[in-house]
Amino acid sequence: SHPSTLTSLNHLASLLKKQGKLDEAEPLFRCALERREEQLGTSHPNTLTSVLSLAGCLREAGRVVEATSLFRRELEGCAASLGDEDKGTIFSARNLVLLLDQTEGTEEARQLRARFRL
């Protein structure tokens, strides 16, 4: 699949998510992620965007354990490629901290707040 097609697929999935059609959005997010992983590798910024998108969909669907795992993956990918001080990395850390705060992951959230100065 062409990179522009995968971007469009991710945008369509985002639109469905915004409409509350999570069951329709999730497979599209997964498809975009899988293809980006194949074409670009797991640490490419576009792949990490797909990880973040799928994580957000799963969080909204109440699938917190799987969402948390993906938020962690996305954060570590951003930190590795962009550094801890990058705005995108800090955004990712905030996403994960907010989810952990809701799911009693308070120690991990505390550690992330210290690491990223949140």
Side-chain angles (χ1 to χ4, degrees), residues 3 12 19 21-23 32 39 41 43 51 56 60-61 64 68 73 78 83 94-95 97 100 102 105-106 111 113:
L12 175 59
Q19 294 174 344
K21 299 177 181 177
L22 302 176
D23 289 342
Q39 291 179 1
S43 61
V51 172
E60 285 191 32
V64 178
T68 302
R73 174 181 164 191
C78 286
R94 281 191 187 120
N95 278 334
V97 165
L100 291 169
Q102 296 169 359
T106 54
Q111 291 172 0
R113 279 189 184 91

Side-chain angles (χ1 to χ4, degrees), residues 35-55:
R35 291 184 180 162
R36 282 181 167 167
E37 286 174 331
E38 291 169 3
Q39 291 179 1
L40 305 172
T42 58
S43 61
H44 189 279
N46 291 347
T47 303
L48 295 174
T49 296
S50 289
V51 172
L52 180 62
S53 297
L54 177 57

Side-chain angles (χ1 to χ4, degrees), residues 43 45 48 76-83 89:
S43 61
L48 295 174
E76 292 309 318
C78 286
S81 62
L82 303 171
T89 303

Side-chain angles (χ1 to χ4, degrees), residues 19 58 74 102 105 117:
Q19 294 174 344
L58 294 171
E74 194 266 342
Q102 296 169 359
R117 298 182 198 105

